[in-house]
Amino acid sequence: FNRVFTEYDRQAFSIGMQNINLSNISTIDSFATKPSLGNITGLLLAWRYLSSRMYAASISPEDGIDLKMTIELNRPGWGSDYSFTNYSSSLRKYFKGPFSHHVLTPSISGFYSQGDQLQQSNFSWRYLALRGYPSTTLQGNKGILSSLEYRFPIGYPEKGLLYGYTFFDRVWGDLFFDYGGASFGGLDKITYKRGVGVECNLDLTTLWYLAATIKFGYAKGLDAGGEEVFYVNLGL
């Protein structure tokens, strides 16, 4: 609660080191173009600002914004086999819907990579999650993604199991539309793709104050390379 622009907003600064090891899980001799392998090691700097608020029966923040900016500096001096810098940012806005605890939330994310380029590109789904497409669909050193979600409550079971060790709190749905793309060329070279879908989320908590969401989803890509996919995710 830093009170930067309002009495309830907050911000966080993060710094850390990260290491990613790229290795193949099977033979890659048959591929004409082999993916880059080795270590990616670097410094991570991030800043996040939130003015979003939730209320007693909220299934999601219902007003305010969530802004995040991240820089990843990968250098040989820190043990990296590649030297490049990734810049990424995201902005989400929350609007109260027409019914109680219904939320309309548009968002936009951007990514840019400068320096060495991996054969499989420096882009990955952790920067721009375009639902309804394989994780390798988008490749490039720059990309942009916009999303529109409509979130709504389904129920409030508020039931506990195992003597309260696990507590099922609330169930809510999410209708979404994604629109984005990536490219190695200019922004005018980006081929944008669309994806739509629906998700059902189960929020739970445990005796150890660990909160998690189990997500059951269906997504369909509407453009070339798209697919129909059912998925289950666990988010902490």
Side-chain angles (χ1 to χ4, degrees):
F1 300 99
N2 296 285
R3 300 184 179 183
V4 181
F5 298 109
T6 70
E7 293 185 356
Y8 52 82
D9 64 6
R10 55 235 183 253
Q11 61 182 337
F13 297 90
S14 303
I15 182 171
M17 296 293 294
Q18 66 177 7
N19 173 260
I20 300 173
N21 179 259
L22 303 175
S23 61
N24 56 297
I25 59 175
S26 62
T27 179
I28 56 176
D29 293 337
S30 60
F31 287 87
T33 302
K34 296 180 174 61
S36 301
L37 306 177
N39 287 311
I40 301 176
T41 306
L43 177 68
L44 183 145
L45 304 170
W47 171 72
R48 188 178 185 184
Y49 170 82
L50 300 98
S51 63
S52 57
R53 289 189 294 179
M54 295 183 66
Y55 305 92
S58 296
I59 51 93
S60 164
E62 296 189 18
D63 53 47
I65 67 170
D66 185 348
L67 172 64
K68 185 176 182 180
M69 299 181 181
T70 304
I71 301 176
E72 299 166 66
L73 303 122
N74 303 290
R75 298 292 185 270
W78 296 326
S80 179
D81 295 323
Y82 306 93
S83 178
F84 62 90
T85 302
N86 285 351
Y87 305 89
S88 57
S89 62
S90 62
L91 172 64
R92 181 176 293 275
K93 180 74 172 76
Y94 299 95
F95 297 96
K96 291 184 178 180
F99 307 104
S100 179
H101 305 302
H102 286 230
V103 182
L104 183 67
T105 170
S107 66
I108 185 168
S109 303
F111 166 79
Y112 175 70
S113 180
Q114 185 179 38
D116 297 341
Q117 296 298 306
L118 305 178
Q119 190 63 49
Q120 61 270 35
S121 89
N122 299 347
F123 167 85
S124 76
W125 258 39
R126 65 193 180 105
Y127 299 106
L128 304 177
L130 181 59
R131 290 164 286 193
Y133 294 84
S135 59
T136 56
T137 297
L138 301 184
Q139 294 190 6
N141 72 324
K142 62 183 68 68
I144 189 170
L145 173 71
S146 60
S147 296
L148 182 64
E149 299 184 9
Y150 183 77
R151 302 174 178 179
F152 54 93
I154 297 175
Y156 298 84
E158 298 183 342
K159 299 292 184 181
L161 296 178
L162 304 174
Y163 300 100
Y165 284 101
T166 302
F167 189 81
F168 297 100
D169 191 10
R170 55 201 65 191
V171 183
W172 53 281
D174 183 7
L175 302 174
F176 65 82
F177 172 75
D178 292 344
Y179 182 77
S183 172
F184 284 106
L187 294 176
D188 58 328
K189 302 297 183 182
I190 295 179
T191 300
Y192 291 95
K193 299 181 180 295
R194 301 164 297 162
V196 296
V198 60
E199 295 176 343
C200 179
N201 302 270
L202 171 61
D203 292 341
L204 57 90
T205 58
T206 71
L207 180 67
W208 303 277
Y209 303 102
L210 176 65
T213 298
I214 302 176
K215 187 185 300 292
F216 303 89
Y218 164 79
K220 178 180 175 62
L222 302 179
D223 297 299
E227 60 182 7
E228 289 187 88
V229 59
F230 293 90
Y231 53 91
V232 179
N233 292 336
L234 176 63
L236 300 178

